[in-house]
Amino acid sequence: MADHSDIEWTDATWHPITGCTLVSEGCRHCYAAQLAATRLQHHPSRVGLARINAAGEAKFTGEVRFNADWLDQPLRWKRPRKIFVCAHGDLFHESVPDDWIHQVFAVMALCPQHVFQVLTKRPERARDYLRFLSNRDDLVAAHAVKLRQPPIAEAEHIRIQVMRAVRLPLPNVWLGTSVEDQAAADLRIPMLLQAPAAVRFISAEPLLERVDLFRWLAPSGQWNRDNPPDTGLHWVIVGGESGRNARPMHPDWVRTLRGQCLAADIAFFFKQWGAYLPRCPQYADEFDADEAHMICSGLPFPEEGVLYRDGYFYDGVVHQPHVGVGAYWVARVGKAKAGRLLDGRDHNGMPGGATVGTPARSRAPSARAAL
Ligand code: SF4
């Protein structure tokens, strides 16, 4: 857990549960598995949760762990903040028992001063859990009383208070799902929309192709803490991939999502480019790999390459015939240098205008961040 975070759209991370398993393409280079298999491999919260496989990739083993010592951390944070819940796992992983989820909800119910950002790749279980949460309010309340350890005379008061707070949707719990490609969007967004939540958000990170959200972006109205809408999407976060095996992100994919959010009056947050920074578009509308090969031949491969709008990436190493449009030079400059400017500015949209916690941070614009 950390009472600060480098993740641009949150203030702090909280890890009551760690461990996970790969779900889809977006998990391929999971940062949490990488940490659990390397730098944190001997930490009690991570021992045995991930390993480096024969191909040299970090993979979760499927074991999940409840970190009881960290459970009450948000209760001790007095200043209101946005808290990313289970940033190194998935609260709704199939191996997480309901009882652990009850305990996490007990803490969230006891902390109305904070906003809890729950991001899952398992929106089906999230939906099912939340739909029946009001039937579980007694279980959640029992955990809350244990956490508070009140004198017997006050225990009943706390129990009732929490049972009241666990009415849906919880105003301080934002529920999101990850959408890295269209297949993930088609599968997960309908389930997210069926979940009772004060705020529903999409994290399109790592964004791996053009994604169309139009059919789900019915205007949901202005988000209001006292009267949150219970339908629609309220926030879209977009980010590229970083790390050793990062895949590049095409700027038109990001612009498309930005445009869709603008049209539907949905908050849009551009988190970062990731390892690759788009440098300039090709001027020819059509650009085939033979031309790319000629133009790229003087460049220091594999640090630069050409990314087409359809996702084909020509890095000068694997040469296959390809004709595509929207070719962009991309350079591997690393996440810090790539920055988070899109068309010359940052995009820090948040539901409610980031009224809780500290404002989204802007990284210093990089000299090479031409977009
Ligand atoms: S769901 Fe998240 S934490 Fe789990 S493997 Fe995928 S990327 Fe990693």
Side-chain angles (χ1 to χ4, degrees):
M1 87 210 110
D3 186 14
H4 65 275
S5 173
D6 287 337
I7 299 169
E8 290 81 353
W9 48 263
T10 199
D11 299 315
T13 52
W14 175 41
H15 307 296
I17 296 164
T18 41
C20 199
T21 26
L22 182 149
V23 180
S24 58
E25 261 311 305
C27 301
R28 183 182 287 269
H29 306 133
C30 174
Y31 174 70
Q34 182 70 29
L35 264 187
T38 55
R39 188 153 61 84
L40 297 180
Q41 63 179 308
H42 301 302
H43 192 278
S45 65
R46 308 300 205 286
V47 174
L49 296 187
R51 293 197 193 95
I52 303 289
N53 68 14
E57 298 163 331
K59 297 290 172 205
F60 276 123
T61 58
E63 186 185 343
V64 294
R65 183 158 304 144
F66 188 66
N67 302 303
D69 289 351
W70 292 344
L71 181 66
D72 65 352
Q73 186 67 26
L75 292 165
R76 297 201 289 269
W77 292 337
K78 297 301 172 209
R79 181 174 55 78
R81 63 202 78 191
K82 298 184 292 290
I83 300 172
F84 181 9
V85 180
C86 296
H88 292 174
D90 191 329
L91 179 62
F92 295 104
H93 186 278
E94 47 279 12
S95 299
V96 171
D98 273 1
D99 189 64
W100 296 2
I101 306 178
H102 298 336
Q103 295 187 57
V104 170
F105 269 84
V107 173
M108 297 195 292
L110 287 172
C111 295
Q113 74 273 28
H114 301 315
V115 160
F116 292 91
Q117 298 161 312
V118 179
L119 180 61
T120 181
K121 282 196 172 70
R122 295 157 174 95
E124 185 175 9
R125 184 170 184 206
R127 175 197 63 191
D128 295 346
Y129 180 85
L130 285 165
R131 273 184 172 177
F132 294 104
L133 186 57
S134 48
N135 296 341
R136 295 163 169 136
D137 52 3
D138 214 12
L139 299 167
V140 173
H143 283 299
V145 170
K146 251 192 261 168
L147 279 161
R148 278 273 194 238
Q149 297 181 324
I152 291 173
E154 287 174 31
E156 181 59 10
H157 173 67
I158 288 184
R159 198 180 71 79
I160 291 169
Q161 196 185 17
V162 169
M163 285 174 70
R164 274 203 199 116
V166 177
R167 296 285 170 253
L168 292 174
L170 278 72
N172 64 331
V173 176
W174 298 4
L175 181 67
T177 196
S178 302
V179 164
E180 66 267 34
D181 53 27
Q182 192 66 51
D186 293 346
L187 180 71
R188 295 179 191 148
I189 294 175
M191 296 175 197
L192 177 72
L193 293 177
Q194 290 163 358
V199 167
R200 296 190 197 84
F201 67 98
I202 299 295
S203 172
E205 184 195 6
L207 184 60
L208 300 177
E209 66 178 25
R210 184 185 188 280
V211 172
D212 187 354
L213 298 179
F214 258 129
R215 77 197 81 159
W216 302 291
L217 288 183
S220 56
Q222 212 46 42
W223 190 86
N224 174 330
R225 193 178 167 86
D226 299 322
N227 185 23
D230 59 2
T231 58
L233 292 173
H234 310 104
W235 192 27
V236 173
I237 302 165
V238 178
E241 194 167 44
S242 48
R244 191 162 54 98
N245 299 308
R247 294 159 281 186
M249 178 171 66
H250 198 291
D252 288 352
W253 305 342
V254 190
R255 290 182 182 124
T256 297
L257 284 175
R258 180 182 60 183
Q260 293 179 12
C261 288
L262 192 66
D265 195 20
I266 305 288
F268 174 80
F269 192 102
F270 183 49
K271 180 170 174 261
Q272 74 202 24
W273 282 110
Y276 284 91
L277 177 68
R279 296 184 66 188
C280 60
Q282 286 306 311
Y283 297 107
D285 197 28
E286 293 224 343
F287 188 70
D288 70 35
D290 285 330
E291 283 180 71
H293 186 248
M294 274 168 41
I295 295 168
C296 290
S297 57
L299 298 172
F301 293 132
E303 298 303 307
E304 300 207 1
V306 177
L307 178 65
Y308 295 80
R309 202 178 289 142
D310 62 10
Y312 180 83
F313 182 46
Y314 177 64
D315 63 0
V317 177
V318 180
H319 179 49
Q320 290 172 347
H322 186 77
V323 175
V325 295
Y328 241 92
W329 289 112
V330 294
R332 190 183 173 93
V333 298
K335 180 181 159 178
K337 281 189 181 164
R340 52 187 304 262
L341 297 181
L342 171 65
D343 296 328
R345 67 179 188 89
D346 50 23
H347 296 72
N348 295 324
M350 286 211 164
T355 52
V356 177
T358 55
R361 285 176 299 284
S362 289
R363 290 188 192 285
S366 148
R368 299 188 70 181
L371 293 171

